[in-house]
Amino acid sequence: MDKKYTIDDFLDKQAWQLLFNQMPIGAMLRNLGSLTELGVLRADAGDNLRRVEAVLNNKEHLRKGRIHPIDVLQALKTYESGGRLGRSQKTWNPVPRIVDILETAVELSFEVVEPTGKVFMHAVDVSGSMSSLVADMGLSCCEIATTMALVTAKAEKNYTIRGFATDFRNLDITAKDSFNSAVRKASNQNFGGTDASVAYDWMIKHKFKADVVCFWTDSESWAGYKHPSQALAEYRKKVNRNVKAVYVTLAPYRISLVDPNDPLSWDLAGFDPNTPRVIQMLATGEL
């Protein structure tokens, strides 16, 4: 049933229309639901829909606004849910054209991330529990991990993306993948327990010299015969003593994968929109 608007709603709509006319890209992404709920964005509001498209489907706007693919994915998932995901107290009926615009914006956003020039190894936990959602984001652990790996594939010249469980397998994710195809490749894998140390074993065997190793897991990742910090020490001794290691635990658990005395290893518990920037700054030495 269509919403019945009151005079207060009408005044709110006028105010939001004025805000919308000057709204920058970040604010627009955050307020698509509210704009729809108030009727500023409707299937028949052609001028407003054209402005959304002109802003969100423009690479220069995405670049200047420093919009990361994670930001757009979260906006897409929240908007599609009609208010069931995220922290909004409002509900709305999603406008199909807005969904289409957001889906296009997801793919465009991968093309505007600035490269670091570093060699990355992304080690993605591919256990079945990675399908669980990260609180308040509307994205699964697998979707976040795969997105971050795909960003590297699109931005950097030198990288490897593999999945870890009880062994370390090629996920065949490359710069040619879309978000959807990359997630399919990662989610179709599930081969046993969760042993992060196998990533270092593989890199030692193949003498893969990474500048940054990023681990993505939903919780505890120690099912092997040695702790990941021990495997990292061995890798540094045999391949690259200056490698940096970042462990992102998307569903924080009590066990750390990091040696607390190691200045080149970091545990990031949980995930928020600032995490991609933090990883980039760690990679380049800004932090």
Side-chain angles (χ1 to χ4, degrees):
M1 181 180 295
D2 292 337
K3 177 180 177 178
K4 294 181 179 179
Y5 292 97
T6 66
I7 186 64
D8 288 337
D9 291 329
F10 177 73
L11 294 174
D12 282 346
K13 180 180 178 180
Q14 284 188 313
W16 275 94
Q17 179 67 60
L18 292 172
L19 289 171
F20 171 76
N21 292 340
Q22 303 296 325
M23 193 170 282
I25 187 169
M28 184 178 289
L29 279 173
R30 293 190 298 271
N31 288 290
L32 290 171
S34 295
L35 290 164
T36 302
E37 192 265 347
L38 286 166
V40 175
L41 297 178
R42 298 161 42 107
D44 58 354
D47 289 343
N48 287 348
L49 294 179
R50 280 188 286 274
R51 181 168 195 275
V52 173
E53 184 174 23
V55 172
L56 298 186
N57 289 170
N58 183 295
K59 288 185 183 179
E60 195 58 27
H61 285 304
L62 291 165
R63 181 179 291 105
K64 287 184 177 179
R66 303 185 77 170
I67 303 300
H68 193 275
I70 289 289
D71 301 324
V72 190
L73 278 170
Q74 185 177 8
L76 172 60
K77 295 288 186 177
T78 301
Y79 188 76
E80 282 184 314
S81 77
R84 293 188 301 276
L85 296 175
R87 300 177 180 179
S88 175
Q89 301 300 312
K90 299 181 178 182
T91 59
W92 58 86
N93 293 317
V95 177
R97 187 173 171 189
I98 297 293
V99 174
D100 292 341
I101 290 168
L102 285 169
E103 288 178 343
T104 299
V106 169
E107 299 304 327
L108 290 174
S109 65
F110 281 103
E111 301 177 24
V112 301
V113 176
E114 293 296 325
T116 65
K118 303 298 182 181
V119 179
F120 275 82
M121 165 63 79
H122 280 279
V124 179
D125 181 349
V126 290
S127 61
S129 58
M130 287 287 282
S131 61
S132 60
L133 293 180
V134 175
D136 295 326
M137 291 201 68
L139 297 170
S140 71
C141 294
C142 180
E143 287 175 322
I144 290 174
T146 305
T147 298
M148 293 299 297
L150 185 59
V151 166
T152 292
K154 300 278 190 182
E156 308 290 350
K157 292 182 178 180
N158 302 304
Y159 65 90
T160 293
I161 299 168
R162 299 181 72 88
F164 71 90
T166 49
D167 61 3
F168 198 47
R169 298 184 185 179
N170 184 16
L171 296 181
D172 195 32
I173 295 173
T174 72
K176 295 181 180 179
D177 277 296
S178 66
F179 164 72
N180 289 325
S181 66
V183 169
R184 279 196 300 272
K185 289 178 179 179
S187 59
N188 285 341
Q189 303 281 343
N190 188 357
F191 41 91
T194 314
D195 181 7
S197 67
V198 296
Y200 293 116
D201 293 340
W202 184 91
M203 289 192 291
I204 291 170
K205 179 180 178 180
H206 295 276
K207 294 181 171 59
F208 184 85
K209 191 175 182 180
D211 295 313
V212 184
V213 185
C214 285
F215 287 86
W216 301 91
T217 183
D218 59 325
S219 58
E220 180 182 354
S221 298
W222 185 15
Y225 63 93
K226 56 186 172 183
H227 193 276
S229 63
Q230 295 173 307
L232 171 57
E234 183 180 356
Y235 174 79
R236 285 189 174 136
K237 182 177 180 180
K238 294 181 177 179
V239 182
N240 182 10
R241 64 187 181 89
N242 295 316
V243 69
K244 297 177 179 179
V246 182
Y247 302 86
V248 185
T249 307
L250 296 164
Y253 196 65
R254 293 187 298 273
I255 294 179
S256 172
L257 303 182
V258 170
D259 177 350
N261 296 315
D262 182 358
L264 295 180
S265 290
W266 296 269
D267 251 337
L268 302 182
F271 190 94
D272 69 33
N274 294 313
T275 302
R277 178 60 180 155
V278 170
I279 293 174
Q280 187 175 49
M281 293 175 73
L282 291 174
T284 57
E286 296 176 65
L287 280 180

